Amino acid sequence: MPTSTLASSTSIAPANPWALVPPLGNLDAYISAVNRLPMLTAEEEQQYARRLKEHNDLDAAGRLVMSHLRLVVSISRQYLGYGLPHGDLIQEGNVGLMKAVKRFDPDQGVRLVSYAMHWIKAEIHEYILKNWRMVKVATTKAQRKLFFNLRSMKQGFKADAGAEGLSPRDTLSEHEIDSVAAQLNVKREDVIEMETRMAGGDVLLDPSPGDDGEQAFGPIAYLADASHEPTSMIESRQRDLLASDGIATALATLDDRSRRIVEERWLKVNDDGSGGMTLHELAAVYGVSAERIRQIEAAAMKKMKKALVEYA
C-alpha cells in the first residue's frame, strides 16, 4: 500500500482503536465484532510495527492487536474440550497476543500472525493447566507435552478401534502406551502417570454438610494426623505427666492404709492379667467390713483428685 494511502487510513481512524469493539456482554456479539475488523496488509503491519518499536506508539500497538483478535478466537476454539469458558480462553489468548505484539521485531522477516501463534497458545496452555483442576496436573515440559497431546491421541486410538469393529477402551493398552511414549519422546511411566492424573477428579478434603444437615465424609477424616497437632501434643504430654509424677504426688498425700487400698485396687495387675484385690479381700486383711473399705477408697480418691488438680 502506498505511504499516502496508509497515512490517510491512519488519520481517519478513531483515536482509541479499542473503541472498534464495543463493550458487549454477549460473547457471540464480541466474536462477530472482531471478525468484522479489517486485516492489515504486510506493508501496514511493517509500518505499525516500526512505529511501535522506534517510537513506542501505542496507537500502532492497538492496531496490530485489533487486526489479530480473530486469530485468538480461532485458536481458542481448539481448546473448548477442556471444559473451561470460551470467554476466558479468548481473554487469556488476548494477553498472549499483546505480549507478542510488544516483542515483535519487524526486521525478522516474518508476519506477526506466525509469531503471535506461539504466544497465544502459550498463554492459553498456562491458563488451562492452572484452572483445569484445583491441583496442577502438569509441571515439567514432558508432562505439559503429554497433557495437551494425550487427549487427542486417545481419541485417535478409539476411532481406530471403532473402525476395526472393536470396543473402544477408556484406558490405554500396553501397545498404545508404548506408541504414545515413542511419538512424544517421553518415558512410558510418564504416560501412565499422566493418564492416571487426567482420569482422576478433584476431591474436597473437608466436604460441606449435605442437604439433610449431616456432615459428609471426606479424606480429611482419615488423612489428618492428630498426633502431631500442637494442642493434641500438649494434651498428650500433660496426660503422661499426670500418669507418672502426678499419680505419685497424689499417692504421697494419703496415709499408709489408704494408699495401699488404692494401689491394690487400681494400680496392680496380676500375672494372669486380672485386676488387683477385691473389697472383700482387703476387708479380710484389715479386719473390717467391705463397706468400710469402699468408704476409705472413696475418700482417698477424692483427696487424690484434689492433689492432681493442684499438680496440673
Side-chain angles (χ1 to χ4, degrees):
M1 174 181 285
T3 305
S4 60
T5 305
L6 177 61
S8 175
S9 64
T10 303
S11 62
I12 63 175
N16 179 13
W18 296 103
L20 293 174
V21 179
L24 301 172
N26 186 283
L27 181 61
D28 292 334
Y30 168 82
I31 295 175
S32 177
V34 299
N35 285 333
R36 291 196 301 269
L37 294 174
M39 299 288 290
L40 296 179
T41 65
E43 292 80 6
E44 288 176 323
E45 185 178 290
Q46 281 283 318
Q47 180 76 6
Y48 288 130
R50 292 189 183 282
R51 283 169 50 182
L52 173 61
K53 180 181 179 181
E54 298 172 3
H55 306 290
N56 196 28
D57 190 334
L58 296 183
D59 177 73
R63 297 192 180 283
L64 291 170
V65 170
M66 296 290 289
S67 63
H68 290 81
L69 289 178
R70 67 179 69 193
L71 174 65
V72 175
V73 173
S74 176
I75 293 176
S76 65
R77 287 197 179 101
Q78 303 172 19
Y79 299 93
L80 292 177
Y82 292 96
L84 296 172
H86 192 192
D88 290 350
L89 295 172
I90 292 175
Q91 176 175 283
E92 296 301 319
N94 287 342
V95 173
L97 172 60
M98 288 186 283
K99 289 182 178 180
V101 168
K102 181 179 180 181
R103 294 166 172 81
F104 180 60
D105 186 354
D107 297 324
Q108 292 295 322
V110 298
R111 292 296 300 269
L112 176 58
V113 61
S114 301
Y115 182 75
M117 287 181 66
H118 164 77
W119 288 93
I120 294 170
K121 289 183 177 181
E123 208 68 27
I124 293 177
H125 286 184
E126 189 66 25
Y127 170 75
I128 293 174
L129 290 174
K130 288 182 178 179
N131 295 275
W132 189 61
R133 292 275 172 81
M134 293 179 65
V135 179
K136 199 169 184 179
V137 295
T139 54
T140 66
K141 184 178 180 180
Q143 289 174 345
R144 286 169 176 261
K145 182 188 293 187
L146 274 169
F147 180 82
F148 288 105
N149 287 277
L150 191 57
R151 287 168 59 94
S152 59
M153 295 184 74
K154 287 183 68 173
Q155 292 297 326
F157 291 140
K158 289 183 178 180
D160 293 342
E164 296 176 2
L166 303 176
S167 177
R169 294 164 50 95
D170 292 330
T171 58
L172 294 174
S173 65
E174 292 296 320
H175 172 71
E176 291 170 343
I177 291 174
D178 293 334
S179 176
V180 172
Q183 291 184 48
L184 299 181
N185 193 27
V186 296
K187 298 178 181 178
R188 70 187 313 277
E189 292 79 10
D190 293 335
V191 178
I192 297 172
E193 180 181 358
M194 181 54 64
E195 185 185 22
T196 303
R197 291 187 183 188
M198 295 178 68
D202 294 325
V203 178
L204 289 176
L205 284 177
D206 191 9
S208 57
D211 296 335
D212 55 0
E214 293 186 2
Q215 182 65 39
F217 181 78
I220 194 67
Y222 54 84
L223 291 179
D225 184 7
S227 62
H228 290 84
E229 197 272 325
T231 303
S232 299
M233 293 176 68
I234 294 173
E235 292 177 349
S236 177
R237 190 177 299 114
Q238 289 178 337
R239 284 195 300 270
D240 292 342
L241 288 173
L242 287 175
S244 55
D245 297 347
I247 294 295
T249 302
L251 287 172
T253 64
L254 303 178
D255 58 79
D256 293 341
R257 184 175 64 172
S258 298
R259 181 167 59 253
R260 184 186 176 188
I261 290 175
V262 171
E263 289 176 343
E264 293 291 348
R265 288 277 291 153
W266 301 102
L267 300 180
K268 287 187 177 181
V269 180
N270 297 326
D271 295 336
D272 58 0
S274 61
M277 299 175 67
T278 65
L279 293 175
H280 292 282
E281 291 172 339
L282 286 168
V285 171
Y286 289 104
V288 295
S289 65
E291 175 60 22
R292 178 55 184 159
I293 295 297
R294 189 195 65 77
Q295 293 174 356
I296 295 173
E297 178 188 24
M301 287 294 189
K302 185 176 180 180
K303 191 173 183 179
M304 287 183 64
K305 183 177 180 180
K306 182 180 178 181
L308 285 173
V309 171
E310 293 176 354
Y311 178 84

